[in-house]
Amino acid sequence: MSTVDIVLAGARGHGRWHLENIRRLQDKGIVRLAGICELTPLTAGELPEGLGTPEQSADFGALLDTTGARIAVICTPIPTHTDLALEAARRGVHLLLEKPPAPSYAEFRRMADGVAAAGVVCQIGFQSLGSHAVPAIRQLIAEGAIGELVGVGGAGAWARPESYYTRAPWAGKRRLNGVDVIDGALTNPLAHAVATGLALNGSTRAEDVTRIETELLRANDIESDDTSCVRISTAQGRPVTVAATLCAEDPDDPYVLVHGTRGRITFWYKQDRVLLQRADHGPQEYDHGRTDLLENLVDHLTDGTDLLVPPDVTGAFMKVVEAIRTAPDPAPLPESAWHRVPGEDRRVVPGVDGLVAASADTLALYSELGTPWVVDALPKEVST
């Protein structure tokens, strides 16, 4: 098998993870990092050992031309995704595109249709969908392990310091210089909970979404939401709810909860860990492996392995992004609903951890759980 040359666009921030992953695959002889696109070149100290001396340039198109790369990994600010993806596609370069793939459904369609027309393939970077737990859970559902599938809830109680929102000009923004960004809790840091919940419900495509209800709030002094929930009605007749906060009291791993008539399955997607609980059985835990999405893309190009996350299977997720984009701006929580943690540079919403868990447990929106600061701050907003 020949080594596949790669260009990475966006090598700082989350891009550092991609650098390490590319180094891992380069050590296996699968890929070679041919180029890095950054506005300011990486210093020798920023480049992990073992990656050699990749060409560096701020001109993405020129870098693709000079390196002859076969794959581009795009890990740049959200509003740049579509244009960069299409620039690569026009050159016949295949793509690993970070999530969220675009800040609006129209931009997503422009990207997906352009990539398809160019005849290249695109993998969307929802790493959780590479977990071997996903097909294993689908198999448990198909076998009737938890009875009839009723719906899926997602829960993410995370914490982010206030400095998280000043790390980049687009951080925490809904729009920047008139351009959509939509960098909210559900659309970026906890987007995996949304995409994974939809996948386990069998509702991945845009046409699977029939109605979306959003509740968007914020404790931080930002434009976007940091404490929010969404309920997605689906053509399959089962709801998917996801509750998220970046203002947790005790941050914990996010999870997706699959509800059945005779049991439930909890999937901690960052750990690839599954807990099966059902009537007349003791609890059963399973640990699964994971297929790396860049490695899967290389395998697809070299031996025809099925691509795990092509754009079409993120269509339903992008409908959620669009509903959040078109919803009224997130409502600020009253100062009585949050406080700063001494020495931690972050805002906490007391009781929000339990609220997030209750939403996933009951498939209910925050307002339906009777939390006063939610009911007072925000009437339920509905988008279709």
Side-chain angles (χ1 to χ4, degrees):
M1 183 179 69
S2 60
T3 301
V4 176
D5 282 354
I6 289 178
V7 161
L8 171 62
R12 294 187 173 95
H14 183 60
R16 290 193 293 268
W17 181 89
H18 284 288
L19 279 174
E20 292 291 351
N21 192 46
I22 291 168
R23 180 175 67 171
R24 179 182 68 84
L25 297 180
Q26 187 162 304
D27 288 346
K28 293 172 70 172
I30 295 172
V31 305
R32 182 181 76 90
L33 183 61
I36 294 172
C37 182
E38 269 288 354
L39 295 178
T40 305
L42 267 62
T43 65
E46 290 179 295
L47 194 63
E49 270 187 55
L51 283 173
T53 54
E55 186 177 339
Q56 297 202 55
S57 172
D59 188 328
F60 183 55
L63 191 60
L64 294 176
D65 291 338
T66 58
T67 60
R70 195 172 177 199
I71 291 175
V73 177
I74 297 176
C75 185
T76 55
I78 301 163
T80 67
H81 284 185
T82 293
D83 285 342
L84 291 178
L86 293 179
E87 191 164 352
R90 284 192 295 269
R91 290 168 165 81
V93 178
H94 305 285
L95 294 156
L96 173 61
L97 180 62
E98 257 302 341
K99 58 81 191 162
S104 70
Y105 190 75
E107 282 291 276
F108 168 71
R109 282 266 48 100
R110 185 165 74 91
M111 180 278 297
D113 294 344
V115 164
V120 301
V121 296
C122 178
Q123 179 100 282
I124 307 297
F126 283 107
Q127 293 289 341
S128 61
L129 299 185
S131 176
H132 302 165
V134 171
I137 293 169
R138 286 174 171 155
Q139 184 64 30
L140 287 171
I141 294 168
E143 292 169 354
I146 56 171
E148 185 179 346
L149 183 58
V150 173
V152 179
W158 275 3
R160 290 291 183 268
E162 292 184 81
S163 58
Y164 175 77
Y165 301 107
T166 58
R167 75 191 191 283
W170 55 268
K173 294 286 197 299
R174 282 172 68 76
R175 293 166 196 89
L176 183 64
N177 300 324
V179 176
D180 288 321
V181 177
I182 320 301
D183 179 39
L186 289 166
T187 54
N188 195 6
L190 287 158
H192 283 90
V194 179
T196 307
L198 288 164
L200 294 178
N201 196 56
S203 310
T204 59
R205 298 178 180 271
E207 57 267 30
D208 292 327
V209 175
T210 58
R211 183 170 181 253
I212 298 173
E213 301 162 88
T214 62
E215 293 184 349
L216 309 177
L217 304 115
R218 59 178 178 83
N220 283 277
D221 185 17
I222 56 175
E223 288 181 5
S224 285
D225 55 292
D226 58 36
T227 299
S228 46
C229 63
V230 64
R231 181 162 55 208
I232 306 145
S233 300
T234 68
Q236 289 72 30
R238 303 179 296 264
V240 175
T241 66
V242 183
T245 185
L246 302 179
C247 305
E249 293 179 281
D250 297 301
D252 207 350
D253 272 341
Y255 60 90
V256 172
L257 185 57
V258 181
H259 295 266
T261 53
R262 291 190 292 107
R264 64 187 199 173
I265 301 166
T266 308
F267 173 32
W268 290 271
Y269 59 80
K270 288 181 69 66
Q271 303 176 30
D272 302 311
R273 183 164 65 94
V274 172
L275 173 64
L276 171 63
Q277 297 167 291
R278 50 185 172 161
D280 304 320
H281 290 77
Q284 295 171 271
E285 282 203 47
Y286 306 91
D287 291 307
H288 293 274
R290 177 178 293 210
T291 297
D292 175 70
L293 295 185
L294 179 55
E295 194 164 0
N296 171 247
L297 174 58
V298 172
D299 289 345
H300 174 79
L301 296 176
T302 54
D303 63 21
T305 299
D306 287 345
L307 201 65
L308 286 169
V309 197
D312 278 355
V313 303
T314 66
F317 168 79
M318 283 306 308
K319 284 291 187 180
V320 175
V321 173
E322 183 68 7
I324 291 171
R325 184 185 76 87
T326 57
D329 287 345
L333 292 176
E335 290 191 12
S336 59
W338 59 269
H339 63 82
R340 285 190 173 87
V341 178
E344 290 192 33
D345 178 40
R346 69 184 181 96
R347 300 186 184 191
V348 161
V349 177
V352 75
D353 304 35
L355 186 65
V356 165
S359 173
D361 201 46
T362 61
L363 303 178
L365 295 171
Y366 288 160
S367 61
E368 296 168 343
L369 295 168
T371 306
W373 48 260
V374 173
V375 176
D376 293 344
L378 181 78
K380 183 168 65 178
E381 302 292 347
V382 177
S383 175
T384 56

